[in-house]
Amino acid sequence: MSKKITDRITWVGKTDWELKKFHGDEFTTVSGSTYNSYLIRDEKIALIDTAWLPYDKEFVSNLKEEIDLSKINYVIALHGEIDHSGALIELMNQMPKNTPIYCTANGVKSIKGQYHKDWNFQVVKTGDTLKLGETTLTFIEAPMLHWPDTMFAYLSKENVLFSSDGFGQHFASEHLYADQVDQDKLYKEAIKYYANILAPFGMIAIKKINEVLAMNLPINMICPSHGLIWRENPTQIVKKYLEWAGNYQENQITILYDTMWNDTRKMAEAIAKGIQNKDKEVTIKLMNTAKDDKTDVLTEVFKSKMILVGSPTVNNGYLHSIAGILEMIKGMKLKNKKAVAFGSYGWSGEAVKQITEYLKIAGFDVVNEGIRCMWTPDKQLEKELIGFGEKLV
Ligand code: FEO
């Protein structure tokens, strides 16, 4: 069902209430998501993005209820990822053959690479414009936010920035606008999206945001390709992005662990007790990486000033959930965060040293060589672990 945004702009996307996983199995989307597509009607008519492949027929069928497809003059592909370009084949099969698709040079590569079609691609770069009538679209390349092909588009007169994945959230709603939903939930999804998808590109995000701000464009609305539209004080999310992209940290310490017979869990809890003894203000989160949602784990790591990572030694290494989460954390390319390792063992005990080395590779400032516990912590060792936690703060 389409929804009118202004007299010229209509939302023609898809709300995916049941989406629970995104990027394969990588990203949990507990609030569902949307694939936002926008129809702009002026003397010329442009369609910005489409929807994810499983909804291609539904998307095109709904679009046909809104407009005769032959009346659409231009298709704009801000980003070639399948959640936005997936309905292109169905759409182009039903549109006049030569309808141009505007995208970046990298957009041509990604779209051709996925669909193997020789459509009428029109390559645009930063500053190129497309006059629709009274309004004009200006394109702004935004490579790595979050693919090399990504671009933004700005619509004059309406003063709307179409920002692709940037400023988006995986958030299905009956509403269109960010100001209509629970703000805590909105920002929880927005920071989760940033931490899990855009965090590695923080420096690029800052540069791009400053470039857009320097253009002094009036902005009435920011329309991302996922989730809710920023209408009330739309640059609030831009300010948040500048904060998040600037080596963000809260007063939080997150303790990640996996455990076989609860010894490493007991270590985690004793260390947490020590931290709390010394600092009543700091937020402490304990997360079992085998049980907690990995997307949430990464979000908490993103918010932390320090992380602790613990695993028992097994087969001369560490547990697979810790290995997996460390690999994901390394990919976030976080800066300005401290870390330390811990873990129990029965005989060889290599895990703590190995985790310590990995944390260094992942760019963390490792504060000491970590702490190990042979077998189950007794009262004496529990005291040592509490002392270890106290020293960390
Ligand atoms: Fe929502 Fe990078 O696609």
Side-chain angles (χ1 to χ4, degrees):
M1 190 182 68
S2 56
K3 295 175 185 176
K4 194 169 165 175
I5 297 174
T6 68
D7 285 345
R8 292 192 183 100
I9 307 170
T10 306
W11 180 90
V12 288
K14 165 70 187 170
T15 303
D16 191 346
W17 294 94
E18 70 171 31
L19 188 78
K20 293 295 167 239
K21 294 282 174 68
F22 186 78
H23 280 166
D25 203 35
E26 288 292 279
F27 191 131
T28 55
T29 48
V30 291
S31 305
S33 193
T34 71
Y35 318 109
N36 294 339
S37 170
Y38 303 97
L39 188 68
I40 306 169
R41 289 182 171 93
D42 201 335
E43 286 162 34
K44 299 287 186 183
I45 297 176
L47 177 73
I48 296 188
D49 290 329
T50 64
W52 186 31
L53 183 63
Y55 297 108
D56 58 348
K57 289 186 176 52
E58 180 184 328
F59 170 81
V60 174
S61 156
N62 287 344
L63 185 62
K64 280 159 75 176
E65 285 183 21
E66 180 64 33
I67 192 165
D68 174 352
L69 296 185
S70 66
K71 291 200 160 56
I72 297 174
N73 303 97
Y74 314 119
V75 174
I76 317 289
L78 296 180
H79 172 31
E81 197 163 6
I82 195 166
D83 49 331
H84 309 295
S85 65
L88 270 179
I89 289 189
E90 185 66 24
L91 181 72
M92 298 311 282
N93 279 344
Q94 299 195 40
M95 283 183 83
K97 231 180 164 183
N98 220 28
T99 305
I101 299 177
Y102 286 75
C103 60
T104 61
N106 280 325
V108 178
K109 285 186 201 164
S110 75
I111 293 170
K112 272 194 177 177
Q114 292 170 98
Y115 307 111
H116 311 288
K117 296 283 182 188
D118 252 329
W119 288 315
N120 176 15
F121 292 106
Q122 298 294 314
V123 172
V124 291
K125 50 190 186 333
T126 298
D128 287 352
T129 57
L130 180 62
K131 196 165 169 49
L132 302 179
E134 282 188 25
T135 62
T136 299
L137 277 169
T138 300
F139 301 106
I140 304 156
E141 290 167 281
M144 299 321 294
L145 297 176
H146 78 115
W147 272 14
D149 65 2
T150 304
M151 66 172 177
F152 300 161
Y154 176 80
L155 186 66
S156 66
K157 293 252 184 227
E158 297 285 347
N159 303 338
V160 171
L161 180 69
F162 298 95
S163 59
S164 189
D165 283 330
F167 312 123
Q169 339 86 40
H170 285 306
F171 195 141
S173 170
E174 70 280 25
H175 298 297
L176 260 188
Y177 302 104
D179 52 275
Q180 293 175 300
V181 300
D182 180 286
Q183 296 299 289
D184 285 348
K185 191 175 168 197
L186 171 73
Y187 270 98
K188 197 173 166 207
E189 291 302 338
I191 194 171
K192 181 172 158 182
Y193 190 95
Y194 182 89
N196 281 272
I197 292 187
L198 295 170
F201 313 111
M203 291 315 293
I204 298 170
I206 289 181
K207 214 170 143 207
K208 185 51 59 181
I209 288 170
N210 286 329
E211 187 187 315
V212 174
L213 293 177
M215 293 164 96
N216 280 322
L217 302 167
I219 294 178
N220 291 350
M221 259 187 280
I222 296 177
C223 293
S225 58
H226 294 290
L228 296 138
I229 295 168
W230 302 92
R231 169 182 68 173
E232 205 175 88
N233 183 16
T235 51
Q236 61 178 296
I237 189 64
V238 179
K239 285 182 194 131
K240 271 288 168 202
Y241 264 50
L242 287 173
E243 216 181 294
W244 292 338
N247 296 334
Y248 184 73
Q249 54 172 243
E250 295 179 13
N251 186 22
Q252 177 172 326
I253 296 176
T254 301
I255 304 178
L256 310 177
Y257 66 92
D258 196 352
T259 191
M260 292 172 79
W261 297 110
N262 286 321
D263 296 330
T264 299
R265 177 179 62 75
K266 285 175 187 159
M267 292 182 76
E269 289 173 3
I271 296 168
K273 206 185 274 182
I275 294 170
Q276 205 173 21
N277 283 349
K278 281 281 174 193
D279 186 346
K280 300 275 184 268
E281 298 302 315
V282 67
T283 301
I284 304 169
K285 296 213 170 159
L286 279 84
M287 303 183 94
N288 181 324
T289 51
K291 295 181 181 178
D292 274 296
D293 180 312
K294 55 186 179 291
T295 326
D296 289 338
V297 170
L298 294 197
T299 309
E300 297 309 327
V301 169
F302 176 72
K303 285 156 64 182
S304 297
K305 60 182 181 182
M306 178 191 285
I307 63 167
L308 286 85
V309 182
S311 172
T313 296
V314 55
N315 298 334
N316 308 107
Y318 42 90
L319 288 173
H320 87 277
S321 83
I322 289 294
I325 213 73
L326 282 173
E327 183 64 16
M328 292 179 94
I329 290 171
K330 176 162 74 84
M332 294 170 84
K333 299 185 172 65
L334 298 173
K335 293 190 177 70
N336 194 30
K337 293 193 192 292
K338 293 184 164 50
V340 76
F342 65 98
S344 63
Y345 69 104
W347 45 101
S348 61
E350 298 94 330
V352 170
K353 193 160 184 247
Q354 291 170 0
I355 293 170
T356 298
E357 288 312 309
Y358 204 100
L359 286 167
K360 286 180 191 165
I361 291 166
F364 284 80
D365 172 16
V366 176
V367 296
N368 60 42
E369 70 282 6
I371 188 163
R372 298 190 306 167
C373 164
M374 195 169 189
W375 302 111
T376 304
D378 58 9
K379 283 285 166 211
Q380 177 54 34
L381 196 66
E382 194 189 341
K383 257 194 207 161
E384 278 178 41
L385 288 161
I386 290 171
F388 182 82
E390 287 172 347
K391 273 193 209 133
L392 287 178
V393 288

